[in-house]
Amino acid sequence: MQHKYATLKMTQIHRNEGQPREHFNEAELTELAESLKEYGLLQPIVVRKKEGASGYELVAGERRYRANKMAGNITIEAKILLPETDETITDLDSFKRAMTENITRADMTPLEEARGFKKVLDQEDGATAQSVAKNFKKSVQYVNQRLALLDLRPELAQAVNDGHIGTSAAVQVAALNKDSQKNLFDKWKKGDFNGSDNALIHVAYAMRKQEKAQQESMVEVEEVSDEEKATQSKARAKTRTDLDRIEEICGLLVEIGKMDGAELFRHLEGEVGARLEQMERVSEAVQKARWALRQAKAHADASELVVSPTAQAPDLAEAARAHEANVNGPEDSEQADDEAAPNAVAEQAHLDTEHADSETDSDAPDREPALASA
């Protein structure tokens, strides 16, 4: 895009009210302001002339603009964008340039990125997750995961913005219905996950599976036969018995652990190598069993938190929209449908996220997320 450079008065520049970035670290701004006082501005801000407005609108460089103001400077170096033809630079063009700079510099929070991607999808003709990903040099999976965050409850979104909950965990939580999200967030606030995103991911994933199972059971209910009930009861009894026997084995291992190495050598002369290999197999089996039990614990926690779709609190805002549509007639009802369409994009984001998870795990297509090492 054509441009020219100029020194502008700070009073000539107006902030872009549609600026995609909302959060600025005051300490970092103060540090930058001190740097500007000593070294000056190393990179000009980017502005444009806006039709019907005096002065210039800020396109990129909000952080530099704020720091320059804090430093007490009355002028600033600027790169002024010039339209290629007689057409003006649109608000969306300006927004996309601001998004590009902030994403490249990793200055935006995940929710700011999500809202930015959503705005482009809503306002640019023919925009798709694929085109947005290409515009901002991101993968489609990255864009879809950010879009999924828009389904978070406000309090959870704030925790993500504040850096208390990581993006990967937030994407799993966002896939839950709003009431399940609230229950999970309340448990997280109590410190039940010890600040671990990994534990949060696993419980959220388990809750999502249970929500899906409940939805499927609402569609088709199959009665369990007496034979199947007997088989399930037998399997439960066997699992508990097997786990009880582990305590016996644990006692044997404790006794072996107390033995002196030289004594073990005398007792196992000629078999030490084979017995060590045996112990390695036992250790591997213990790791796998512990993994399975941790997954079971996640499902146990999830069963206490998940809210059945039939038991969810009514969405009062949605009810109000539906009532208004009925009162105002079919024309307004069609508009309501158009407003609801973005929700389909968010739902696709959840599906793409789950698909991406399965693609990266070649061992099992529906395997649960991996736990970090204990």
Side-chain angles (χ1 to χ4, degrees), residues 268-283:
L268 300 175
E269 189 171 358
E271 296 181 19
V272 174
R275 293 299 184 178
L276 183 57
E277 289 178 3
Q278 179 189 46
M279 199 58 64
E280 293 293 344
R281 291 194 299 272
V282 170
S283 177

Side-chain angles (χ1 to χ4, degrees), residues 218-267:
M218 289 167 59
V219 176
E220 183 176 354
V221 180
E222 293 185 8
E223 191 164 335
V224 181
S225 67
D226 290 340
E227 184 179 350
E228 288 174 321
K229 289 179 181 178
T231 300
Q232 292 173 2
S233 177
K234 186 176 179 181
R236 283 195 293 268
K238 181 180 183 303
T239 300
R240 290 186 172 92
T241 301
D242 289 347
L243 287 171
D244 289 340
R245 290 176 61 195
I246 288 176
E247 286 298 327
E248 300 173 18
I249 298 171
C250 183
L252 296 176
L253 293 174
V254 169
E255 290 302 317
I256 292 173
K258 292 177 180 178
M259 295 180 69
D260 178 73
E263 182 183 7
L264 264 177
F265 166 68
R266 287 193 299 272
H267 292 175

